[in-house]
Structures are given as structure tokens and as C-alpha cells.
């Protein structure tokens, strides 16, 4: 795929049939922990305009925690998980009620989808989410997606909605991803730095990840900061989806392909959501150390990690959990989903498939990490 120009990327965004728009907490709420109805209405007006012109819009909206902590009497965003989850439970209802009213000004229906990281990777849940989202879009509904904060397991929770929005874009096979936040564009360094400069086009997001200085969120209500937005743009880019990042008040022009904010070019064709999640969002719970031969085969691509080529297992994990694959010098070479619980693995190490089948039975004759679940770093 040849690298598209800035104009071509903007044109692709303007012509996008299916668009995922992600809006951050700071663009919908006040620092006091309440919804800001004027901001929400302005965003909805821009989205409704695109919808009325025929675009299929999926809105990934943060703001549940930020809209819930004020009504529950907290002065600032709570930091403990249980209170955040309680705030999300209250705030999510308030958020949807307001979206419902606001979209109804344009005769547009909305539907709520609360999703977990698991739903984006496990095949049946993934297809379930895909089927519901596709059907909602066919019916002209604007699905409003958020992470299922009230119940999400902290171990694999996204926490921010940036990377979740890139996975949703992959699920609905979106033509464009629009990330709306409280800053008008990506800058070479946090905008508070006196010599930071605006970046209008990123042809190669992998280079930008190395070159741009980023900081965590400072808004008091958001979580990810710029790093998770760059990761989302990266995930979209490797899924073949262009991204524009700008402030929420630029939503209308961004959707029309105007040169606002920062546009990111796609770099490759589509990949699977599971592999995107493994590479960008999973938190490994252990390590499998590959010998030189296995490390070489994995680096060459397309190989599964077999017990015969593993010399050590570290950490406690269950089958299906993410793990690092390291070489013997301790360098991470890949991330993958383990095929076995960590306690089962030591007796399998160094044995080939024939020995595993003979000693332990057919259940032990599979790769430690199948190549479909293995992603090179
Ligand atoms: N290089 C950078 N360019 C632009 N903004 C940056 C950069 N580094 C850090 N930021 C900060 O990231 C913030 C946006 O992240 P966040 O508060 O998580 O937003 P949201 O709630 O919309 O997800 C901006 O307010 C900005 O100060
Ligand atoms: N799912 C959470 C999102 C947390 C959050 O702050 O995300 P963001 O504002 O996008 O950085 C919520 O709705 O509160």
C-alpha cells in the first residue's frame, strides 16, 4: 500500500460511510463532576448533521465516571476502583438520558452498548457485538458505546476509551476514526510547553510514537492523555483506517474532511481485533522464554511457540491469558495468549508434540502459543 497524501486522507474521511467518533470526558463534563449539556448538545448537532447526510455513526463516549462523581457528592474524580465503578453506574444513566434527549431533536434514535475488553477478543462475543452494532447501524440508530466500567474486571480493563474506540472501528469495519478531546490537535510536546508545535498530518504513526513528547491527562476528568490517543491512531492505522484527532468543537469540520486537527494516514490493511488487543492493550501476566531456535522462528513470522522450544516459564496465569515471549537474553520478542495454565507448563518444556501426546494425552499436543494468538513486537 503506497503512503496516502494528507489531501487523500482528508478526502477519505469526508467520504467515509461508517465513522467511529470517540469523545473524551473533558469534552462532555465540567470539572465539578457533572454533565455539561451545552457541550453535549453541540457535539450531537455535529454528529446528527453527518448522520442526516447518510453517514453511519458509532459514538464511543466517555464521561460516565466524570458525570457521576458530582451527583454522588464527591468533589473530585475518585481514585479507587469501587467508587469509580459506582460513579460510572450513576453517570452512565445520566449520560444516556441526555444523549437520548439531544439526538431526539433530530429524530435520531440512540442505542447503548456497554462493552468489555473480552467482548472485543473472544470470538463469540466479538461476533455478537459486531452483529448488534451492524443491525443498529442498518436501522439508522447511533450506537453509543462505553466500556462496561461498573463491572469491568480491573485486570483487563481499558480504562480509557481511546484504544477501545480503535477496536470498535475495527469491529464495524469503519472507514474513519475521529478522536475528539480538549486540545485542538496533536503537538510535538504537551501544549503547555512553550516551544510545542502543532502537527497537521502524520504519515507514519509508528515514527510519531517515537518522536512526539506526550503527557498523561491533566484535565482531572480524563484518563488516557495523549499516549492512548496515539495508540488508538496506531491501531486504526494498522487496520487500514485513517484517524483525525481534534477538539470536540471541531467535530463538524473534522467529519467533513476539513484540515482541522491532526490527520493520521493508514499504513496497512485490516488485521483482527484480537491481534490488535494482544499487541496494544493486553497486560501480560507471565513470560515464556524461547530458546534460540524458537526465537528465530517466531521473529521470522508465521510460527507457533511449541513446548520443545521453551526453556522457562515465569509468572502465574491461566490458559487464554496474555504472556510475553522473551528470548534468552530477556528481550521481549512477542506477546501472545497462552494455550495452557502456567502450572501445567513446566513438565511440557523441551518436549516435542509426539512425546507430549504419548506422556500426557492429546490435550497437551497443542502449541504453547498458537500463531493466531501470537503478535511480534
Ligand atoms: N503532545 C501532545 N499534544 C497534544 N496534547 C497533549 C500532548 N501531550 C499531552 N497532551 C494532553 O492530552 C490531553 C488530552 O487527554 P485526556 O485528558 O485524556 O482527554 P480525553 O478526556 O478527551 O480523553 C490534552 O489536554 C493535552 O494537555
Ligand atoms: N469509560 C470511562 C472512560 C474513562 C475516561 O476518562 O476516558 P477518557 O476521558 O476518554 O480519557 C467513563 O466513561 O468514565
Amino acid at each position: 500500500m503506497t503512503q496516502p497524501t494528507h489531501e487523500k486522507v482528508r478526502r477519505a474521511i469526508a467520504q467515509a460511510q461508517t465513522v467511529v467518533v470517540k469523545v473524551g470526558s473533558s469534552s462532555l463534563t465540567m470539572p465539578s463532576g457533572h454533565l455539561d449539556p451545552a457541550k453535549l448538545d453541540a457535539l450531537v448537532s455535529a454528529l446528527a448533521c453527518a448522520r442526516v447526510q447518510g453517514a453511519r455513526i458509532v459514538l464511543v463516549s466517555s464521561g460516565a465516571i466524570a458525570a457521576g462523581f458530582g451527583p454522588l457528592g464527591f468533589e473530585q474524580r475518585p481514585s479507587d476502583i469501587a467508587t469509580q465503578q459506582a460513579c460510572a453506574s450513576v453517570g452512565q444513566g445520566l449520560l444516556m438520558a441526555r444523549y437520548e434527549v439531544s439526538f431526539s431533536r433530530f429524530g435520531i434514535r440512540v442505542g447503548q452498548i456497554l462493552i468489555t475488553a473480552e467482548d472485543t477478543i473472544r470470538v463469540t462475543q466479538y461476533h455478537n457485538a459486531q452483529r448488534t452494532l451492524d443491525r443498529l447501524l442498518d436501522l439508522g440508530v447511533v450506537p453509543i458505546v462505553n466500556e462496561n466500567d461498573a463491572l469491568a474486571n480491573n485486570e483487563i480493563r481499558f480504562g480509557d476509551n481511546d484504544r477501545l474506540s480503535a477496536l470498535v472501528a475495527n469491529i464495524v469495519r469503519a472507514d474513519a476514526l475521529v478522536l475528539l478531546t480538549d486540545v485542538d490537535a496533536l503537538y510535538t510536546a504537551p501544549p503547555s510547553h512553550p516551544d510545542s508545535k502543532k502537527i497537521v498530518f502524520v504519515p507514519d504513526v509508528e515514527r510519531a510514537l517515537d518522536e512526539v513528547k506526550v503527557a498523561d491527562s491533566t484535565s482531572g476528568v480524563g484518563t488516557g492523555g495523549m499516549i492512548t490517543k496515539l495508540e488508538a491512531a496506531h491501531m486504526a492505522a494498522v487496520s487500514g483506517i485513517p484517524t483525525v484527532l481534534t477538539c470536540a468543537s471541531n467535530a463538524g469540520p473534522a467529519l467533513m474532511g476539513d484540515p482541522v486537527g491532526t490527520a493520521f494516514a493508514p499504513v496497512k490493511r485490516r488485521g483482527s481485533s484480537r491481534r490488535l488487543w494482544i499487541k496494544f492493550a493486553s497486560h501480560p501476566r507471565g513470560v515464556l522464554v524461547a530458546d534460540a531456535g524458537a526465537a528465530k522462528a517466531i521473529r521470522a513470522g508465521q510460527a507457533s511457540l511449541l513446548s520443545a522450544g521453551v526453556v522457562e516459564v515465569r509468572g502465574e496465569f491461566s490458559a487464554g491469558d496474555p504472556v510475553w515471549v522473551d528470548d534468552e537474553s530477556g528481550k521481549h520478542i512477542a506477546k501472545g495468549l497462552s494455550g495452557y495454565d502456567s502450572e501445567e507448563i513446566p513438565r511440557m518444556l523441551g518436549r516435542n508434540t509426539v512425546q507430549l501426546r504419548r506422556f500426557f494425552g492429546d490435550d497437551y499436543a497443542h502449541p504453547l502459543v498458537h500463531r493466531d494468538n501470537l503478535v511480534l513486537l
Side-chain angles (χ1 to χ4, degrees):
M1 184 174 181
T2 52
Q3 206 68 61
T5 60
H6 185 192
E7 291 69 35
K8 211 168 164 198
V9 170
R10 295 289 182 171
R11 210 173 319 124
I13 292 166
Q15 291 169 351
Q17 261 292 299
T18 305
V19 186
V20 172
V21 178
K22 184 263 166 173
V23 61
S25 309
S26 54
S27 305
L28 296 168
T29 59
M30 299 184 272
S32 60
H34 293 270
L35 277 174
D36 184 331
K39 282 187 189 167
L40 189 145
D41 284 349
L43 168 72
V44 168
S45 300
L47 300 182
C49 185
R51 173 74 209 100
V52 166
Q53 286 170 18
R56 291 153 64 95
I57 306 278
V58 178
L59 176 60
V60 176
S61 177
S62 299
I65 299 171
F69 74 76
L72 281 176
F74 296 101
E75 279 177 8
Q76 56 190 27
R77 185 185 165 103
S79 53
D80 70 288
I81 302 290
T83 316
Q84 282 181 0
Q85 292 185 308
C87 292
S89 168
V90 170
Q92 182 64 25
L94 296 169
L95 197 57
M96 282 309 294
R98 190 65 220 182
Y99 274 127
E100 175 74 45
V101 169
S102 194
F103 272 102
S104 70
R105 295 177 299 152
F106 305 92
I108 297 172
R109 282 255 162 246
V110 296
Q112 173 179 268
I113 303 269
L114 297 179
I115 204 165
T116 61
E118 289 260 299
D119 297 323
T120 64
I121 48 168
R122 305 265 176 243
V123 179
T124 33
Q125 281 146 275
Y126 174 92
H127 286 301
N128 207 10
Q130 187 169 56
R131 196 183 49 216
T132 310
L133 283 163
D134 283 350
R135 190 72 189 118
L136 284 167
L137 290 169
D138 290 345
L139 291 167
V141 174
V142 172
I144 300 182
V145 181
N146 196 356
E147 185 162 20
N148 191 351
D149 295 306
L151 296 181
N153 164 2
N154 198 35
E155 299 278 320
I156 65 159
R157 191 169 168 226
F158 285 101
D160 64 276
N161 270 342
D162 300 317
R163 292 165 302 161
L164 178 68
S165 70
L167 289 172
V168 169
N170 193 277
I171 291 174
V172 298
R173 302 167 294 270
D175 306 301
L177 173 65
V178 178
L179 297 174
L180 300 174
T181 179
D182 61 351
V183 60
D184 67 332
L186 175 68
Y187 283 75
T188 50
S192 52
H193 287 212
D195 48 1
S196 67
K197 293 195 179 48
K198 189 168 169 172
I199 301 173
V200 294
F201 179 54
V202 176
D204 179 350
V205 64
E206 284 176 18
R207 273 185 58 191
L209 280 164
D210 291 335
E211 290 169 4
V212 170
K213 290 195 185 65
V214 291
D216 285 345
S217 173
T218 50
S219 66
V221 288
T223 50
M226 202 40 64
I227 186 68
T228 49
K229 286 171 200 24
L230 282 182
E231 284 170 1
H234 187 193
M235 292 164 79
V238 300
S239 308
I241 302 170
T243 298
V244 57
L245 180 151
T246 190
C247 53
S249 54
N250 276 341
L255 287 161
M256 305 219 337
D258 290 354
V260 291
T262 307
F264 297 80
V267 292
K268 275 194 196 137
R269 309 220 172 272
R270 294 186 189 285
S272 84
S273 277
R274 186 174 66 251
R275 296 173 70 83
L276 284 179
W277 179 83
I278 294 171
K279 180 159 178 172
F280 295 101
S282 68
H283 301 292
R285 312 192 54 160
V287 180
L288 297 171
V289 181
D291 68 14
K296 191 168 168 213
I298 284 168
R299 284 196 174 104
Q302 300 293 315
S304 295
L305 181 65
L306 305 176
S307 317
V310 176
V311 291
E312 192 186 342
V313 53
R314 291 202 292 270
E316 271 180 41
F317 49 86
S318 304
D321 281 345
V323 289
W324 294 113
V325 179
D326 284 8
D327 66 16
E328 287 183 280
S329 74
K331 190 171 175 347
H332 295 323
I333 53 178
K335 259 172 150 185
L337 302 182
S338 174
Y340 296 88
D341 295 350
S342 52
E343 62 195 27
E344 291 177 310
I345 296 176
R347 62 184 176 145
M348 300 169 68
L349 296 184
R351 297 190 195 275
N352 64 31
T353 310
V354 176
Q355 293 168 325
L356 290 169
R357 184 170 282 122
R358 183 171 340 125
F359 297 143
F360 310 124
D362 283 349
D363 286 350
Y364 290 84
H366 308 294
L368 282 190
V369 183
H370 191 277
R371 63 171 178 270
D372 290 349
N373 296 328
L374 191 64
V375 181
L376 274 178
L377 299 175

